[in-house]
Amino acid sequence: MGSRDQKVKWSWSSALIGAASATAAASLLSAKPKDPTFHLISIDLTSLKLNLPVLDAELMLTVHVTNPNIAAIHYSSTTMTILYDGTVLGSAEVKAGSQPARSCQLLRLPARLDGMELAQHARQFFSDVAKREMKLEAKLTIEGAAKVMWLDHSFRVHVDSFVTVDPVFLDIIGQENKSQMDLFLT
C-alpha cells in the first residue's frame, strides 16, 4: 500500500539544472533574429575591356558583413544587381558560404559593369563625373539556413544599398543600406 504514502525526495541540484535548462531554452526560443548589416568598404577597378564602341569594367567590391545573431548562417550563391539611373548597369557574384554567430567578415565580390548600358546614360554620367558624384543602387537577396540547437531555420535577407561614389577615383562618398530578413520556421 505504500506508493501513495511515499515522500518525494527533494534535490537542489536537480532543481537548479532544471531551472538553468528552462532559462536557456526560453532565451534561445525568444531571441529575436536581427537583420545582418552590410557596408561597402571599397571599390577597386580590376580591368577595362574594349568592347567597341564602349569599355566594359570589372571591379572588386569589398563588403563588410556583420551577423549579429546567436546562430551561424549558411547561404547559397546569388547575384547582386547594380543599377544606375534606374537601369541595370551590372552585377556582382556572391559565392555560397557561411558566417559564424555574432561575427564580422569581409566579402570580396567580383563585379562587371556593362559599358553599353552606361553609354545609354552618357549625359547623366558626364554630369556625374563633372560633379564627381555618382549615385548607384545595389539590390541583393540572399537565402540560406541558420542552425539553432538541432533545427535548421531557412531565411531570406533582402538588401537595398544606395551608394554615392566619386566616378573618377572610385571613392565611396556615402551610403545607406536597408536590409530585411524573413525567417521561416518550417
Side-chain angles (χ1 to χ4, degrees):
M1 278 211 285
S3 70
R4 280 170 80 174
D5 294 334
Q6 274 185 334
K7 286 192 171 187
V8 175
K9 197 172 190 181
W10 179 258
S11 166
W12 279 104
S13 61
S14 295
L16 289 174
I17 291 171
S21 298
T23 302
S27 65
L28 278 176
L29 294 175
S30 67
K32 183 180 177 196
K34 298 172 188 80
D35 290 347
T37 59
F38 301 85
H39 189 77
L40 182 62
I41 302 295
S42 67
I43 303 171
D44 298 310
L45 182 66
T46 56
S47 75
L48 287 173
K49 294 185 180 175
L50 183 59
N51 196 5
L52 291 174
V54 293
L55 288 172
D56 289 335
E58 291 184 2
L59 308 167
M60 186 61 70
L61 308 177
T62 304
V63 180
H64 182 261
V65 182
T66 302
N67 175 12
N69 295 294
I70 62 170
I73 58 171
H74 304 280
Y75 51 89
S76 58
S77 61
T78 189
T79 301
M80 175 192 304
T81 304
I82 302 168
L83 298 106
Y84 175 64
D85 202 26
T87 59
V88 175
L89 178 60
S91 61
E93 297 301 316
V94 179
K95 294 180 182 175
S98 64
Q99 184 164 348
R102 293 188 175 125
S103 68
C104 301
Q105 70 181 27
L106 292 177
L107 298 180
R108 296 194 36 89
L109 310 176
R112 181 180 172 98
L113 301 182
D114 185 348
M116 188 61 83
E117 284 298 324
L118 191 58
Q120 292 182 14
H121 298 278
R123 176 178 283 160
Q124 179 66 42
F125 177 70
F126 289 121
S127 171
D128 289 348
V129 169
K131 292 186 303 187
R132 301 227 4 225
E133 189 173 288
M134 181 177 183
K135 296 186 183 295
L136 298 171
E137 182 179 354
K139 294 180 178 283
L140 169 69
T141 300
I142 299 173
E143 295 183 355
K147 190 167 199 133
V148 179
M149 296 171 83
W150 59 89
L151 298 173
D152 280 340
H153 297 285
S154 297
F155 68 87
R156 179 181 311 128
V157 177
H158 180 77
V159 181
D160 287 311
S161 294
F162 304 92
V163 181
T164 304
V165 298
D166 176 343
V168 177
F169 294 111
L170 298 178
D171 292 332
I172 299 159
I173 299 169
Q175 64 184 292
E176 178 184 349
N177 299 298
K178 297 177 183 177
S179 63
Q180 177 185 343
M181 181 169 59
D182 298 317
L183 185 64
F184 307 104
L185 299 175
T186 56

